[in-house]
Amino acid sequence: MPYDPSAFPPFAVTVDLVVLTVRRHSLCALAVRRGEPPFQGRWALPGGFVREGEDLSQAAARELAEETGLCVHDPAAPTQDNGAHLEQLATYGDPGRDPRMRVVSVAHLALAPDLPAPRAGGDASNARWAAVGELLEQSGYGHAGQPAAPLAFDHAQILADGVERARSKIEYSSLATAFCPSEFTVGELRRVYEAVWSVALDPRNFHRKVTGTPGFLVPTGGTTTRQGGRPAQLFRAGGATLLNPPMLRPEV
Amino acid sequence: MPYDPSAFPPFAVTVDLVVLTVRRHSLCALAVRRGEPPFQGRWALPGGFVREGEDLSQAAARELAEETGLCVHDPAAPTQDNGAHLEQLATYGDPGRDPRMRVVSVAHLALAPDLPAPRAGGDASNARWAAVGELLEQSGYGHAGQPAAPLAFDHAQILADGVERARSKIEYSSLATAFCPSEFTVGELRRVYEAVWSVALDPRNFHRKVTGTPGFLVPTGGTTTRQGGRPAQLFRAGGATLLNPPMLRPEV
DNA sequence: ATCATAGTCGTCTGCCTGACGATAATCAGT
DNA sequence: ACTGATTATCGTCAGGCAGACGACTATGAT
């Protein structure tokens, strides 16, 4: 059954971004307010059309830069400041997910350190960091919630998938450091795990674990007291990407 | 910057399939021979265009059925015979990956038990099971290899990603049972792990591990001697999808 | 000085794992 | 029937890691 090259339906292809960060001990995602129908006035994930001649990851990096000013952390460049982690998440192509036309969206997951207030093309009122719990509560992916409107399109599903990916991936990779500034303490890293997993971790066992995992952390020699209490050693992310042994998420 | 709904470039969207199985102690993938240009006569992964009104997973399931006769194992239906596991793998959209036009391919990963000879629209000479090592060797993803032609398009990359996904996913999920018939022995399951990981596992420790992991295996009561030697208990896959504790891949 | 806070080092116990010995139940030859 | 090959299954033992938790250190706030 050879195909007819002229007989394929045309699709629009977009990238949508799940941009996660940790703010005030809770996991937050970037949301933008839609300016036109459909779902006008509702919150949605940032995203846009893939352009001609543009790769999917290029399109995602461009959208990320437009929305946050972040540039993507190149895995080849080891010590690059203010770089975000970006990876493909999944692709959503339900017919009818966009009422206007057939749109296939390649969702990407970005992890960023705590940032200043977001900007959406210069308009701050149209972009915000929102706790993922609040964004998902009213969509059937969380617990009871306040009456805020759910996310547009199937973005609640995409966000839930992105959060789940982040939750599982910090177990066996050093990705949690993507939520931290270039230099950070063990306690700050622990608060990342606690926020993403919504659990409390024993500071002593956590310290032993991360400092004992080869390649995870390298001390910079400096110390800081920005968290209060006794000064803590500063570290930066080591070269290891896969953690062995992995961090273990406590059972619920 | 509101977008112009009429100003998006049209794409063709396809699904490509990485169908894996274990035959004669080695991991094999389904390959089809291309009947027309580009890459005429070369081996490629099965796939095809997504139709109008068709979901991505529907399109993947349809292509899988067309190529292999397998129907997809519905996670809701617990004990369905001859069902394959199917999941989305990743999406490949490099401009220029198809010389004819802009094509975005949503690759899927399918795991199937050992099957009779493949059929490609009834033409057996145009489809075969090939050891993944041979398929990847000549593409720079393996070691030294014979002078066979590499896979068409970027299918070697897709296959490599699919194999890597399968290798890591059988660690922490019960997915290895998707390579087995509905009833199988511990030894048969061990040979699946050995083939996928290309390692030798201790039969005694493996037996202790899998029979001790809750929800992984449920005995059927029957036994078989189809592997020779002492009769072995038959099991079927238990309800658990996530293994706790996970299977550990030996370090290299 | 005292307290609260956060960081760091140890100890102990239980569980899991890898290495490996031993036994059991079948089949193929002789 | 005996022997050997093959596979399955049970047991033992030592080492390592994880969770629970005590103890001490170094800072800032009152």
Side-chain angles (χ1 to χ4, degrees):
Chain A
M1 185 188 59
Y3 67 80
D4 175 357
S6 67
F8 65 92
F11 290 74
V13 176
T14 62
V15 290
D16 285 324
L17 291 179
V18 177
V19 189
L20 298 180
T21 193
V22 174
R23 296 174 67 103
R24 286 172 286 110
H25 293 200
S26 85
L27 184 63
C28 295
L30 185 62
V32 299
R33 196 193 296 272
R34 286 188 56 79
E36 66 258 27
F39 301 101
Q40 186 167 19
R42 294 265 285 280
W43 293 98
L45 300 178
F49 288 104
V50 178
R51 296 179 183 165
E52 291 190 60
E54 191 179 47
D55 189 13
L56 299 175
S57 56
Q58 285 172 22
R62 172 178 54 76
E63 292 286 343
L64 181 64
E66 287 176 5
E67 302 285 349
T68 67
L70 286 169
C71 48
V72 173
H73 193 110
D74 186 354
T79 330
Q80 181 181 351
D81 266 27
N82 221 28
H85 171 86
L86 181 64
E87 68 178 45
Q88 194 186 108
L89 177 58
T91 299
Y92 301 81
D94 248 53
R97 65 180 290 277
D98 188 317
R100 295 164 296 180
M101 55 189 166
R102 187 72 196 267
V103 178
V104 166
S105 176
V106 184
H108 285 70
L109 174 66
L111 307 185
D114 199 353
L115 295 174
R119 52 167 219 207
D123 186 349
S125 77
N126 285 338
R128 64 163 181 151
W129 292 108
V132 296
E134 295 175 19
L135 286 175
L136 294 179
E137 265 165 358
Q138 58 272 4
S139 306
Y141 296 100
H143 323 299
Q146 69 265 46
L151 288 172
F153 303 108
D154 51 3
H155 287 187
Q157 176 70 59
I158 298 175
L159 175 59
D161 291 347
V163 168
E164 183 48 39
R165 170 82 66 96
R167 283 191 175 137
S168 69
K169 207 154 181 183
I170 64 174
E171 282 192 79
Y172 56 90
S173 80
S174 63
L175 221 56
T177 59
F179 287 114
C180 294
S182 63
E183 295 198 353
F184 54 90
T185 70
V186 173
E188 290 164 348
L189 184 63
R190 176 170 48 84
R191 281 180 273 281
V192 165
Y193 277 91
E194 292 178 331
V196 176
W197 286 344
S198 301
V199 295
L201 299 175
D202 185 294
R204 299 158 290 191
N205 292 335
F206 184 87
H207 188 278
R208 177 185 56 188
K209 185 71 183 284
V210 295
T211 56
T213 298
F216 195 6
L217 302 180
V218 289
T220 68
T223 61
T224 184
T225 68
R226 63 181 170 229
Q227 298 290 340
R230 171 176 166 178
Q233 278 188 81
L234 284 170
F235 296 85
R236 71 177 69 240
T241 55
L242 257 53
L243 299 185
N244 196 350
M247 305 293 298
L248 291 183
R249 175 162 28 168
E251 352 231 326
V252 189
Chain B
M1 185 190 56
Y3 67 80
D4 175 358
S6 67
F8 64 91
F11 290 73
V13 176
T14 62
V15 290
D16 285 324
L17 291 179
V18 177
V19 189
L20 299 180
T21 194
V22 174
R23 295 173 68 101
R24 285 174 287 112
H25 293 200
S26 86
L27 183 64
C28 295
L30 184 62
V32 298
R33 195 193 295 273
R34 285 188 58 78
E36 65 256 28
F39 300 100
Q40 185 167 20
R42 294 264 286 279
W43 292 98
L45 300 178
F49 288 104
V50 178
R51 297 180 181 165
E52 291 190 62
E54 190 180 47
D55 188 13
L56 299 176
S57 57
Q58 285 172 20
R62 172 178 54 76
E63 292 286 343
L64 181 65
E66 287 176 5
E67 302 284 349
T68 67
L70 286 169
C71 49
V72 173
H73 194 111
D74 185 353
T79 330
Q80 181 181 351
D81 265 26
N82 221 25
H85 171 86
L86 182 64
E87 68 178 44
Q88 196 186 108
L89 177 59
T91 299
Y92 300 81
D94 247 52
R97 64 179 291 276
D98 189 317
R100 294 164 297 179
M101 55 189 166
R102 187 73 197 263
V103 178
V104 165
S105 176
V106 184
H108 286 69
L109 175 66
L111 307 185
D114 199 354
L115 297 174
R119 51 168 219 207
D123 187 350
S125 77
N126 284 337
R128 64 163 182 153
W129 292 108
V132 296
E134 295 176 18
L135 287 175
L136 294 178
E137 263 166 0
Q138 58 272 6
S139 305
Y141 296 100
H143 322 298
Q146 69 264 48
L151 288 172
F153 303 109
D154 51 1
H155 287 187
Q157 176 70 59
I158 298 175
L159 175 59
D161 292 347
V163 169
E164 183 47 40
R165 169 83 64 95
R167 284 193 173 135
S168 70
K169 208 155 181 185
I170 64 173
E171 282 193 80
Y172 56 89
S173 80
S174 63
L175 220 56
T177 59
F179 286 114
C180 295
S182 63
E183 294 198 353
F184 53 90
T185 70
V186 173
E188 289 164 350
L189 184 63
R190 174 170 49 82
R191 277 172 216 105
V192 165
Y193 276 92
E194 291 178 332
V196 176
W197 284 345
S198 300
V199 295
L201 299 175
D202 185 292
R204 298 157 292 192
N205 293 335
F206 184 86
H207 187 280
R208 178 184 57 189
K209 186 70 182 287
V210 295
T211 55
T213 299
F216 195 5
L217 302 181
V218 288
T220 67
T223 62
T224 184
T225 70
R226 62 180 169 230
Q227 297 292 338
R230 170 175 167 179
Q233 277 188 79
L234 283 170
F235 296 85
R236 69 178 69 240
T241 54
L242 256 53
L243 299 185
N244 196 348
M247 304 294 297
L248 292 182
R249 176 160 31 166
E251 354 230 323
V252 189

